[in-house]
Amino acid sequence: MVTQTVEQFGIPEKVQIKSKLSFEDRAFRGLAKSAGIGTFVILVLIGLFLLIESVPAFRSQGLHFLTNTVWQPTGKHPKFGVASALTGSLLIAVIALIVAIPVSLACALFINEFAPAKLMSFIPFKNFLTAAVDLMAAVPSIIYGMWGFFVLQPHMTGFEKWLSDYLGGFGVFKNTTGIYTSSFLIAGTIVGIMCMPIITSLCREVFSLTPNGEREGVMSLGASRARIIRDVVFPFAKGGVIGAIMLGLGRALGEAIAVAIIISLSFPITFHVAQAGGNSIAALIAIQWGSGGSLGTSALLAAGLVLFIITLLINMVASRIVNASKLGAR
Amino acid sequence: MSEVSERPETIDGRLVSSSRDASSATDLRIDGVSAAELDAKGIYAWFGARMVLENVDLVMERTKVTALIGPSGCGKSTFLRILNRMHEIIPSASLAGRVELDGDDIYDPSQRAATVRRHIGMVFQRPNPFPAMSIRDNVLAGLRFNRIRSKHKDEVVEEALTKAGLWSEVKDRQKDLGGGLSGGQQQRLCIARALAVKPAVLLMDEPCSALDPGSTLRIEETVREIADDVTVVIVTHNMQQAQRVSDKTAFFLAQDGNPGYIVEAGPTSEIFGNPVDPRTADYVQGRFG
Amino acid sequence: MAETIEQLEQEEACLEADAESEAPEQIKINRIRPREFKPSDVAVLLLTLASSFSILWIVFSQLTLLNGALGFVVLWIPLFLGLYWFVNRQLFTRQVAIDRLISSVVTLGAGIMMLPLVLLTIFVFERGLPLLSWHALTSTQQGVTFTGKHTNLGGVEHAIVGTLEQVAIAAVIGIPAAILTAIFINEVGGRFTKSVRVIVTAMSGTPAIVAGVFIYSIWVTRFSYSGFAGSLALAVILLPTVTRGTEEVLKIVHNDLREASIALAAPQWRTVWSVVLPTARSGLITSTMLGIAVSIGETAPLIMTIFGNQVMNANPFSGPQMALSLLAYKQIKLPIQSQIDLGYTAALVLFIMVFAVFVLARLFGSGRRSSGARRSLLSFVRWTPGSSLEDEAADQGGVEGLQKSLEKEELDQ
């Protein structure tokens, strides 16, 4: 190692040691790095191949792909577009979040702040609740869909009728066809139920990270439980809660099977949530797969590309929001 | 030490290099190295642009225990980590100077850090036995990591644990997990683990600061015993410990954000009994630090 | 002398008497358990529930606003809450009323949340259990007939085999890749660490059906439908999940252990293989099991990769296969009840499988926080956009954390 003395200061030149890695270490690091790069490659490939395969669809429809409200990929003059699928996905996601957020927040609060750790001093209540939430998340979407279709739907038709009769003044709730099954409301509710465990779990995590010092400080000032929650837990957890909601949003937008089971596919854009009919990008792909010939398949792949881009964008926005709120909270 | 290399070797009382023969099965030498002398010359250390050590010279004699004392934040640990090339793990770290192990510069560009660490072992402040390994496997870990094959694994384990003063307590439960011992026992396990590869030097970074007084005394006994086989350099905040344990003491100091340096170094009895520098006198008499 | 002895005896007697009177008798200890919700409050709650129920019962038949049990409950809840608020306001203070109200709302929310799970489980078992038979589990849909003497309603064996094979292959491909990626993020690092983490997060937000169409476009178009294609799609789906989970667990491994390993001259792969991974073993099992549970239940990506098959195809590498989830999906929209029944059977088997894996994950998994409470399994796959809340601590395990904490330590010395 070189030790040169710089005359001016009498201090030798500093050396940053970068020792050569052995072969085994280089191999190991190379392997790990390739795994890291691999994830990037996969993401790029997804975008790339979806793009390639959807070229025929875009060539056929151009930008009208995003605005057409019919789906006829076969025949002499094919016309198809995902406009209603886009609005439908959004509608379902909004309904899902409206259903999911209050319940999830309440449940997260309950588990964290109100639930006794042990019922009758031997049943591990909190653990049980946490496990139940986890189990809900693990249940396959097909089963949610089946339950929604066979059990929830019959019960909700009555509610929908009530909505249409009494709140039909708001156009959304008006039912113009008389058919109350296969509606956005039912699909949105089921999707909301599916999103609940994830939002709950994340919120619970965030709530439990509230620093005890702050909590105890406020408690010693005589604050009630509600006040503690409002003034200590919520501000601290804001970013995480938003992150949880965005996660739920992404999940709701991407849910295919449950929606596919419930709705009956229709292509005109509609905002009537209490009547039959509906569309969502994911469900569209699931239901229409296999029909429509090669152009139809290409169209579905194009729809998949659109869905991919949308969820990616939501991810990025969510990152920004959560990080910004974290900086604010500190 | 002619060559510090990474060939797999056997610890069997036989050396790989044909030019030497081991004298006995228990008198294990690797490449002819027993306790070695460590000579630090003109050590400077930086974190980024900030200098933390300035012109440190210290000779740590073979088979002797050298203690590094001084107030917090004066670079003792940094210096210690420079001795076994752990300082460079930190990306912003840099240094200057030479550290010679029996004459060979450990920072020579052709020298691999891992090899240096094989011969200069370290015991840390917080005991860190590997929790997923048994006691026996913990001791043998160093051999495994360096691909040292031995046909006498049981003896190696027994010898290391005996030297660390732990054998009698764990000999019937070697297969138990390493994490299940008390704090003092864990630290002795770490010492055994470090000793199993027969290093030439053992660096100890405040090994007793996280332990109770009883374990502390046990470990101090161990330090005195192993000094015959291995040069020991020990950083300690406890001055009584330094007096009990060491042959030579170096007093580090850093003032007002300036880099650390050695104020005075010499035989322990002199440093504590008859220090030359008034600052040393102040420190060892407890007037600061 | 005598008086002294007398005095002494007197004193002794007095002392004895004192001692006796101080002898510990059976002291009754009244233990106080300070409780916010005293038995009287429980009474208030129950009474309010009962009275709101009764009021509604009487009135409901007069109103025709909503019908059915659902309607009743929907109306009962606000009525109860309103009444509860009113009662508490009268009996106690406004503060107490607010608090009680919020407790009720929150408890209600939790109950509403758990309700679907319970109902769902009942539904799956109620419909599927009567249909479970040896025949159903060991036959396929080959030769299904609905009429005549030899009605063969088919079975789900081909789907079971398909699911098992697809998930197994997906696990073999995906889990090592995920663990390697987590090792890259946490142990190896470099300039791309943050980007890779972002990418993994982005991938975990990607819908399952997108993974399906992706594999279709890259594989099925060239090699046609197969179980293996399904495995590829499942692997893409479980990769980010397992990566995040593994990364979380690796972070927890204390840096002291890595330091000790480095000081023993271990090469980095050794440190990871022999120290870090074994220490994180139970967490690894958990996130692996979670990935598997997710894969078993996926339906959407299988539509365009395995395509479905009514007969047994035990070869996952050629030809369309069936899976339990896909079978259920396909059957329940069919017109004939026995076809739907097959869907119920498949759903039940599916549910049991997922539940079994879930239980295994919980049994063998780790995740005890320092408080002793179990971590939620979902926390292993926590998708927090950007870094997690604990990232900033220099205590984090992994390369960056190790460097930070070493720097901190050295500077402290």
Side-chain angles (χ1 to χ4, degrees):
Chain A
M1 186 192 61
V2 181
T3 317
Q4 297 164 341
T5 356
V6 179
E7 271 76 37
Q8 282 179 298
F9 303 98
I11 298 170
E13 187 182 309
K14 57 166 127 167
V15 177
Q16 238 183 344
I17 313 289
K18 267 196 160 61
S19 39
K20 213 166 41 108
L21 290 172
S22 66
F23 169 73
E24 50 187 358
D25 262 349
R26 265 181 292 150
F28 169 71
R29 293 175 76 89
L31 190 64
K33 273 196 197 137
S34 57
I37 296 180
T39 55
F40 177 66
V41 165
I42 292 178
L43 205 67
V44 167
L45 283 181
I46 294 180
L48 192 66
F49 273 85
L50 284 182
L51 192 60
I52 294 177
E53 294 290 328
S54 44
V55 159
F58 281 117
R59 237 205 300 230
S60 162
Q61 301 293 304
L63 273 180
H64 290 295
F65 182 72
L66 295 172
T67 56
N68 283 342
T69 55
V70 289
W71 192 267
Q72 277 148 21
T74 51
K76 274 241 187 90
H77 302 286
K79 187 166 186 232
F80 48 87
V82 292
S84 60
L86 283 170
T87 58
S89 292
L90 191 63
L91 209 51
I92 291 179
V94 166
I95 297 174
L97 285 181
I98 291 178
V99 167
I101 291 176
V103 179
S104 304
L105 276 180
C107 192
L109 272 179
F110 179 75
I111 295 180
N112 240 44
E113 306 283 330
F114 292 87
K118 284 204 192 317
L119 265 187
M120 302 193 274
S121 58
F122 70 94
I123 305 174
F125 191 48
K126 241 187 183 167
N127 280 344
F128 178 74
L129 283 181
T130 319
V133 173
D134 285 345
L135 186 59
M136 272 188 84
V139 171
S141 41
I142 172 79
I143 293 186
Y144 275 111
M146 284 169 72
W147 179 73
F149 184 71
F150 288 112
V151 175
L152 192 63
Q153 182 162 255
H155 279 97
M156 280 201 69
T157 48
F159 178 62
E160 286 181 337
K161 185 159 197 321
W162 179 87
L163 274 181
S164 178
D165 289 340
Y166 291 95
L167 296 178
F170 306 103
V172 266
F173 293 126
K174 191 97 190 102
N175 183 313
T176 55
T177 66
I179 307 176
Y180 293 94
T181 55
S182 307
S183 66
F184 277 121
L185 258 184
I186 301 177
T189 306
I190 284 296
V191 175
I193 294 178
M194 292 168 73
C195 292
M196 285 203 265
I198 301 178
I199 301 180
T200 301
S201 178
L202 204 59
C203 286
R204 209 190 52 78
E205 284 279 314
V206 175
F207 289 156
S208 69
L209 288 173
T210 325
N212 272 329
E214 286 186 40
R215 187 195 296 263
E216 279 167 5
V218 176
M219 236 197 273
S220 65
L221 288 171
S224 71
R225 204 183 252 167
R227 187 153 283 262
I228 294 177
I229 293 175
R230 198 184 70 171
D231 290 334
V232 177
V233 180
F234 273 162
F236 181 80
K238 217 170 14 187
V241 169
I242 295 182
I245 293 177
M246 305 231 63
L247 175 61
L249 177 64
R251 180 89 169 83
L253 285 174
E255 177 50 42
I257 289 298
V259 178
I261 293 178
I262 292 182
I263 61 168
S264 75
L265 206 55
S266 78
F267 291 98
I269 296 186
T270 171
F271 289 101
H272 295 292
V273 297
Q275 69 186 37
N279 200 352
S280 91
I281 302 187
L284 173 66
I285 301 174
I287 295 176
Q288 292 290 93
W289 189 265
S291 65
S294 66
L295 189 58
T297 306
S298 173
L300 292 176
L301 290 171
L305 180 64
V306 172
L307 185 59
F308 178 60
I309 294 177
I310 291 179
T311 42
L312 222 55
L313 283 174
I314 291 189
N315 262 282
M316 294 202 284
V317 169
S319 288
R320 284 268 168 80
I321 296 181
V322 172
N323 282 339
S325 80
K326 261 190 227 141
L327 290 173
R330 279 184 193 278
Chain B
M1 183 172 64
S2 48
E3 213 182 84
V4 185
S5 65
E6 256 253 83
R7 299 189 306 274
E9 297 140 343
T10 56
I11 306 181
D12 258 338
R14 294 245 159 258
L15 295 170
V16 169
S17 42
S18 51
S19 53
R20 297 176 195 269
D21 282 318
S23 31
S24 73
T26 54
D27 187 21
L28 300 173
R29 306 280 184 247
I30 302 177
D31 276 336
V33 173
S34 58
E37 174 170 292
L38 208 55
D39 191 359
K41 295 178 177 164
I43 298 293
Y44 291 76
W46 292 263
F47 281 115
R50 191 182 134 207
M51 189 191 292
V52 293
L53 280 179
E54 183 172 17
N55 206 358
V56 174
D57 285 316
L58 190 62
V59 174
M60 291 146 276
E61 294 166 37
R62 71 183 71 247
T63 71
K64 299 272 190 283
V65 178
T66 307
L68 310 179
I69 62 172
S72 300
C74 54
K76 310 191 292 291
S77 274
T78 308
F79 178 69
L80 203 71
R81 280 165 198 265
I82 288 179
L83 296 180
N84 73 343
R85 293 191 66 168
M86 296 262 304
H87 176 69
E88 66 207 45
I89 300 177
I90 301 166
S92 65
S94 53
L95 69 138
R98 276 171 82 87
V99 177
E100 291 177 358
L101 182 66
D102 272 354
D104 292 319
D105 183 14
I106 65 174
Y107 281 99
D108 193 83
S110 65
Q111 197 58 258
R112 289 206 21 249
T115 320
V116 170
R117 294 177 196 139
R118 227 290 282 307
H119 294 279
I120 304 178
M122 187 175 241
V123 171
F124 298 87
Q125 192 168 352
R126 288 186 300 257
N128 49 18
F130 300 132
M133 292 190 204
S134 67
I135 293 174
R136 179 187 156 85
D137 286 335
N138 258 284
V139 176
L140 293 173
L143 281 81
R144 254 174 78 209
F145 293 167
N146 289 282
R147 278 196 244 102
I148 300 174
R149 278 171 246 117
S150 168
K151 294 198 198 90
H152 303 290
K153 287 209 175 86
D154 293 335
E155 280 106 344
V156 169
V157 172
E158 182 174 345
E159 184 178 351
L161 286 171
T162 310
K163 278 201 204 150
L166 194 58
W167 174 246
S168 52
E169 288 167 53
V170 301
K171 65 176 183 237
D172 295 323
R173 41 184 184 127
Q174 292 180 45
K175 295 287 168 70
D176 285 359
L177 287 182
L181 304 168
S182 74
Q185 288 173 323
Q186 285 187 6
Q187 190 65 302
R188 279 177 277 147
L189 177 59
C190 294
I191 294 176
R193 182 176 65 187
L195 291 176
V197 290
K198 306 249 169 237
V201 179
L202 184 62
L203 308 174
M204 303 178 95
D205 192 354
E206 294 195 50
C208 304
S209 64
L211 306 177
D212 60 278
S215 310
T216 302
L217 284 176
R218 296 283 293 273
I219 290 185
E220 289 178 10
E221 272 171 37
T222 305
V223 169
R224 284 245 55 101
E225 281 162 19
I226 63 179
D228 291 330
D229 295 318
V230 76
T231 306
V232 176
V233 183
I234 177 168
V235 168
T236 179
H237 269 136
N238 184 335
M239 279 176 289
Q240 291 75 31
Q241 181 173 87
Q243 281 181 282
R244 286 193 289 266
V245 143
S246 65
D247 304 302
K248 177 172 177 180
T249 303
F251 171 52
F252 279 75
L253 192 60
Q255 286 154 318
D256 302 329
N258 283 335
Y261 59 101
I262 292 186
V263 170
E264 188 174 344
T268 302
S269 46
E270 298 271 321
I271 295 286
F272 283 93
N274 193 14
V276 170
D277 195 297
R279 292 168 296 179
T280 318
D282 283 344
Y283 182 75
V284 303
Q285 278 150 33
R287 271 179 237 134
F288 73 95
Chain C
M1 233 5 211
E3 34 182 68
T4 343
I5 298 180
E6 244 185 307
Q7 272 178 342
L8 281 173
E9 279 177 347
Q10 250 186 345
E11 279 180 54
E12 228 182 69
C14 280
L15 282 171
E16 271 180 39
D18 280 344
E20 267 181 78
S21 61
E22 281 169 15
E25 296 160 353
Q26 285 298 340
I27 304 177
K28 216 158 161 254
I29 303 178
N30 257 336
R31 287 214 276 184
I32 307 176
R33 279 210 191 91
R35 274 217 183 101
E36 290 232 4
F37 215 62
K38 297 185 276 297
S40 56
D41 297 319
V42 176
V44 170
L45 176 67
L46 291 175
L47 278 173
T48 317
L49 278 170
S51 49
S52 52
F53 186 88
S54 333
I55 295 176
L56 191 59
W57 186 267
I58 298 171
V59 177
F60 195 66
S61 47
Q62 306 299 324
L63 296 172
T64 48
L65 280 184
L66 292 173
N67 47 6
L70 187 64
F72 185 85
V73 171
V74 167
L75 280 184
W76 184 24
I77 291 175
L79 183 60
F80 161 72
L81 287 176
L83 200 58
Y84 197 50
W85 156 272
F86 184 69
V87 167
N88 275 312
R89 184 89 176 77
Q90 296 301 102
L91 286 180
F92 309 107
T93 68
R94 187 164 167 273
Q95 192 66 30
V96 171
I98 296 179
D99 244 18
R100 295 268 166 86
L101 191 65
I102 293 185
S103 308
S104 317
V105 168
V106 165
T107 311
L108 203 61
I112 295 179
M113 169 112 175
M114 294 296 151
L115 199 59
L117 180 63
V118 172
L119 295 177
L120 205 144
T121 313
I122 295 177
F123 164 71
V124 170
F125 277 88
E126 177 196 30
R127 306 263 174 133
L129 210 51
L131 300 165
L132 261 194
S133 65
W134 184 248
H135 174 81
L137 291 176
T138 54
S139 51
T140 68
Q141 287 171 291
Q142 189 164 22
V144 166
T145 52
F146 305 108
T147 56
K149 271 201 286 206
H150 306 287
T151 314
N152 177 8
L153 300 174
V156 298
E157 190 190 18
H158 56 311
I160 296 179
V161 168
T163 298
L164 289 176
E165 286 183 350
Q166 289 146 29
V167 171
I169 297 179
V172 163
I173 299 177
I175 291 175
I179 295 183
L180 257 181
T181 309
I183 288 177
F184 169 74
I185 294 177
N186 211 46
E187 307 288 326
V188 173
R191 274 174 303 149
F192 299 112
T193 319
K194 197 145 188 268
S195 334
V196 171
R197 208 187 265 135
V198 167
I199 291 173
V200 169
T201 307
M203 271 180 82
S204 68
T206 305
I209 198 161
V210 170
V213 292
F214 163 57
I215 293 296
Y216 176 82
S217 60
I218 194 175
W219 182 271
V220 181
T221 48
R222 281 152 242 277
F223 299 101
S224 191
Y225 299 111
S226 64
F228 182 68
S231 300
L232 287 177
L234 293 177
V236 168
I237 292 171
L238 68 76
L239 188 81
T241 303
V242 178
T243 302
R244 284 299 286 194
T246 308
E247 189 202 332
E248 294 282 320
V249 187
L250 291 183
K251 261 202 268 199
I252 293 179
V253 174
H254 211 288
N255 273 324
D256 283 356
L257 299 177
R258 293 184 182 83
E259 263 195 306
S261 194
I262 294 175
L264 287 171
Q268 190 177 17
W269 70 267
R270 256 295 186 193
T271 305
V272 171
W273 181 258
S274 301
V275 177
V276 179
L277 285 182
T279 308
R281 181 174 26 225
S282 46
L284 288 182
I285 291 180
T286 304
S287 52
T288 302
M289 294 261 141
L290 214 61
I292 291 179
V294 164
S295 299
I296 294 178
E298 286 291 353
T299 318
L302 299 178
I303 296 176
M304 60 282 301
T305 49
I306 68 173
F307 195 69
N309 197 332
Q310 295 197 321
V311 301
M312 173 69 84
N313 176 7
N315 184 354
F317 294 102
S318 91
Q321 255 192 342
M322 188 48 102
L324 285 167
S325 48
L326 191 61
L327 181 59
Y329 174 63
K330 283 194 187 290
Q331 293 299 112
I332 57 173
K333 290 282 225 173
L334 295 178
I336 306 179
Q337 184 58 42
S338 57
Q339 291 172 317
I340 301 179
D341 283 347
L342 202 60
Y344 286 137
T345 315
L348 179 60
V349 178
L350 187 65
F351 189 83
I352 293 177
M353 264 193 201
V354 169
F355 191 73
V357 173
F358 178 80
V359 166
L360 282 176
R362 207 126 171 119
L363 277 180
F364 290 102
S366 72
R368 284 201 184 276
R369 279 261 164 80
S370 47
S371 61
R374 273 203 175 221
R375 288 176 76 166
S376 150
L377 284 183
L378 285 174
S379 71
F380 280 97
V381 302
R382 173 174 54 179
W383 174 96
T384 322
S387 45
S388 67
L389 283 167
E390 297 150 272
D391 267 349
E392 279 78 9
D395 272 328
Q396 66 166 314
V399 159
E400 297 156 6
L402 176 63
Q403 292 164 346
K404 273 195 223 138
S405 66
L406 278 181
E407 202 170 325
K408 197 153 114 27
E409 269 184 38
E410 289 206 23
L411 291 175
D412 277 344
Q413 292 302 323

